[in-house]
Amino acid sequence: MNLHLTGHHLEITPALREYVQSKLTRISNHFDHVIDASAFLVVDNAKEKDRRQSAEITIHLKGKELFAEAHNADL
């Protein structure tokens, strides 16, 4: 699976990249034909602490596309 990892106001460290890859390898247990995945990690200056950090992931499957978005105080 090809992974495209992008950060906004955030440096993508090797540990962060490895963590995202380890979580996305679990998706291959559920789907056979994963083409690629795009992850977009953002750190903003939102007023609410629990909405400051967000992660958006798009997974391209054969014939389908999955999208997930989460906001939290910690990535």
Side-chain angles (χ1 to χ4, degrees):
M1 164 183 12
N2 295 328
L3 174 63
H4 304 285
L5 192 58
T6 307
H8 183 62
H9 297 288
L10 172 74
E11 180 184 348
I12 304 297
T13 62
L16 188 58
R17 179 178 296 279
E18 182 180 321
Y19 179 76
V20 172
Q21 285 176 340
S22 70
K23 292 298 182 180
L24 286 177
T25 54
R26 294 172 36 189
I27 202 81
S28 62
N29 295 339
H30 300 285
F31 299 103
D32 293 332
H33 303 290
V34 178
I35 299 169
D36 68 349
S38 300
F40 188 62
L41 307 175
V42 180
V43 176
D44 281 331
N45 291 330
K47 292 189 181 207
E48 301 96 14
K49 285 185 177 180
D50 61 340
R51 310 258 320 156
R52 287 189 181 165
Q53 298 184 14
S54 64
E56 299 175 1
I57 297 179
T58 305
I59 299 172
H60 302 280
L61 304 170
K62 186 175 180 182
K64 295 181 184 180
E65 185 173 291
L66 302 175
F67 178 77
E69 178 180 24
H71 300 276
N72 204 336
D74 187 22
L75 277 176

